[in-house]
Amino acid sequence: MRFSWRETSYIANLLRDSDRDRVDEILAGQTEYTEDQYLDDWLRVSGGQVDVPLIESIISRSNSTIAWMSEFGQSWAPRPNPLPGDVPVILDGGGQGLQNRNFSRFERLGGTVFYDSSVEDIEVAADGRYVLRGSGPAFPVVCHALVLASGGFEGNARMRERHLGAQWRDVKLRGVPFNEGAPLEAAVALGADTAGNWRNCHTTPQGTALPDYMMPGQMHKSHGLARYAFPRGIVVNRDGRRFFDESGDYSNLSYVTLGQRIQEQPGRIAFQIFDNKVVRAGLLPDGYLSDPASVVVDSIEEGAGRLAIDEENLLDEIRRLNNGGVDLVPGERDSATRTPKRIDTPPYLFTPVVCGLTFTYGGLSVSTDAEVRSGEEPISGLFAAGEIVGGLYDQGYPGGTGLMAGAVLGRSAGRRAAEHAVRTGGN
């Protein structure tokens, strides 16, 4: 989770006792991450068509929300094998650890979780209460206040094709297949405003062993297949051409863009190539070397032949690269950010990568208090948090902002929904 902070003691207090003495080592010289830096990263990477006041409000509450989560039993750990620019600490146990602690706390507070229950429709009764219908033991549900936190439409092939394009119909998912967008469509049918870029989505470069989807508790498989070390090598398509500025930014600010671009390439596949200077220095995560699809070869020609990459084009790209050329990616705008590199020391590691879809960007328009809007005015008793919210991303994605936005808006939505229910005498 990406959050602002100004004191190293703040980071130390999030860590386990055994890690607190290592905080200076963990931060690797970083002394703060201000709200201004956070906003600059978010807007620079995501693009201009976003809800800036909403993003600013999330950033301004990120620090206090992390402290609140810590008070409720969430814990953080040092990021193992960080890449340059990485957020220095991560949730202990990752997303699965986060959710295990969330469910445990929720049930201790008296909450009930209904499994195998899918929302199919939402209606507003004559008295203003919400009626949820669907399949499973939870339904029907009648309530005075409703928080929608059901993700985007990434699990719905029909909606992916309609909004993202035909090439996204059969894309592999980095998560569960259950987020099919039914609550999102139901809210829109009630008159909710939409927001965000419905033609784009969060993606990551993944190893080719990525399955079509993952079930709860299996995300560690995706983390093991993450291929984020691309700034230390080059990325080419099946035609042997570079199509992405690998060194344009830290990988945690550019990996989503790479995933998106892979989906546009011939065969929807790309290849990350590293020379022995990088491999020998131990700069690659273990997953690269243990990937059965990776090949280690003595020459670029051999790698191209084994993976059916256009040999002549690839050699041409590397020749220009090694000669100090920086204008290597036609159509790229930020040429000033490119860092010349050399791929010239055998043996070479070739790693095939594909796109994994995490969540979609298009969603509901909400206020800074997580109120769903209709005609730019709040809908009474209806709130939203998480990836069902639109307006946060347009193009790229700064790593760690999705969970942070979900936590900030979820906290606000829960509080506001409870207040609304009390005012209206219901639940």
Side-chain angles (χ1 to χ4, degrees):
M1 299 179 74
R2 183 181 294 262
F3 54 93
S4 65
W5 57 278
R6 285 189 175 274
E7 304 279 343
T8 57
S9 59
Y10 180 90
I11 301 295
N13 287 335
L14 296 175
L15 296 168
R16 298 166 294 200
D17 291 343
S18 58
D19 292 317
R20 288 180 181 175
D21 292 340
R22 300 176 48 230
V23 67
D24 290 336
E25 171 197 340
I26 292 165
L27 294 177
Q30 189 176 1
T31 58
E32 63 180 4
Y33 187 58
T34 68
E35 292 180 8
D36 287 342
Q37 289 173 307
Y38 195 163
L39 182 62
D40 177 71
D41 283 341
W42 197 319
L43 298 184
R44 173 169 49 83
V45 172
S46 186
Q49 302 303 310
V50 293
D51 187 336
V52 176
L54 179 60
I55 291 170
E56 289 176 331
S57 75
I58 290 167
I59 291 172
S60 68
R61 291 179 281 174
S62 66
N63 186 288
S64 61
T65 299
I66 292 292
W68 169 74
M69 291 176 65
S70 181
E71 292 170 4
F72 267 80
Q74 293 297 347
S75 57
W76 279 260
R79 176 182 288 278
N81 304 316
L83 292 164
D86 271 345
V87 178
V89 295
I90 59 173
L91 282 156
D92 193 9
Q96 184 172 347
L98 166 75
Q99 289 297 67
N100 287 344
R101 292 186 289 269
N102 278 343
F103 277 97
S104 176
R105 179 77 179 193
F106 178 68
E107 290 171 335
R108 286 201 307 272
L109 290 170
T112 300
V113 180
F114 288 95
Y115 295 94
D116 297 316
S117 298
S118 301
V119 174
E120 296 172 358
D121 188 39
I122 303 170
E123 302 174 0
V124 180
D127 60 3
R129 292 187 298 172
Y130 292 94
V131 181
L132 282 71
R133 304 188 189 281
S135 59
F139 302 105
V141 172
V142 181
C143 55
H144 285 73
L146 175 62
V147 179
L148 300 176
S150 52
F153 55 86
E154 61 273 10
N156 187 320
R158 172 186 59 82
M159 291 187 71
R160 290 199 307 267
E161 183 173 28
R162 174 186 171 192
H163 294 290
L164 303 178
Q167 73 272 27
W168 294 92
R169 181 174 180 86
D170 299 320
V171 68
K172 296 183 175 186
L173 303 179
R174 284 191 63 237
V176 299
F178 309 125
N179 292 347
E180 296 190 334
L184 173 59
E185 290 189 309
V188 173
L190 291 177
D193 295 339
T194 60
N197 187 345
W198 286 66
R199 297 182 301 278
N200 216 338
C201 56
H202 178 292
T203 63
T204 74
Q206 297 269 296
T208 56
L210 181 71
D212 289 340
Y213 57 83
M214 306 222 173
M215 298 301 287
Q218 295 181 338
M219 277 302 290
H220 62 279
K221 296 181 180 180
S222 174
H223 298 321
L225 290 166
R227 300 293 179 255
Y228 295 171
F230 51 85
R232 291 170 169 156
I234 64 170
V235 183
V236 300
N237 60 19
R238 180 75 76 188
D239 294 333
R241 295 299 187 189
R242 291 176 70 206
F243 59 90
F244 172 78
D245 182 7
E246 313 94 338
S247 300
D249 219 325
Y250 291 132
S251 63
N252 72 358
L253 297 176
S254 58
Y255 71 93
V256 167
T257 304
L258 174 56
Q260 295 166 352
R261 296 293 303 276
I262 289 172
Q263 195 66 4
E264 301 168 356
Q265 304 311 307
R268 300 175 196 166
I269 194 169
F271 305 88
Q272 296 180 12
I273 304 173
F274 308 90
D275 75 0
N276 198 44
K277 297 190 298 294
V278 173
V279 177
R280 188 174 59 240
L283 297 176
L284 297 179
D286 294 341
Y288 277 86
L289 297 174
S290 61
D291 188 340
S294 292
V295 298
V296 178
V297 292
D298 291 327
S299 68
I300 297 296
E301 293 89 337
E302 182 184 356
R306 288 182 61 177
L307 293 173
I309 304 170
D310 187 296
E311 178 182 319
E312 184 176 347
N313 287 345
L314 178 56
L315 289 171
D316 180 57
E317 292 281 7
I318 293 177
R319 217 168 9 246
R320 285 194 289 163
L321 178 71
N322 291 346
N323 288 335
V326 295
D327 187 17
L328 299 171
V329 189
E332 288 285 351
R333 292 173 292 180
D334 297 328
S335 59
T337 66
R338 298 192 193 109
T339 303
K341 64 182 81 174
R342 296 181 66 83
I343 303 291
D344 59 4
T345 307
Y348 303 95
L349 175 68
F350 283 62
T351 299
V353 290
V354 296
C355 168
L357 171 58
T358 316
F359 66 88
T360 46
Y361 287 170
L364 303 177
S365 172
V366 302
S367 72
T368 56
D369 286 326
E371 302 159 304
V372 177
R373 294 186 284 213
S374 177
E376 301 186 1
E377 294 296 326
I379 299 176
S380 177
L382 187 60
F383 306 86
E387 293 152 6
I388 196 172
V389 171
L392 300 176
Y393 311 106
D394 178 36
Q395 299 299 318
Y397 170 90
T401 56
L403 276 177
M404 192 71 255
V408 169
L409 293 176
R411 183 187 184 193
S412 184
R415 184 173 61 248
R416 297 290 181 178
E419 292 170 353
H420 179 85
V422 169
R423 284 197 309 271
T424 56
N427 59 324

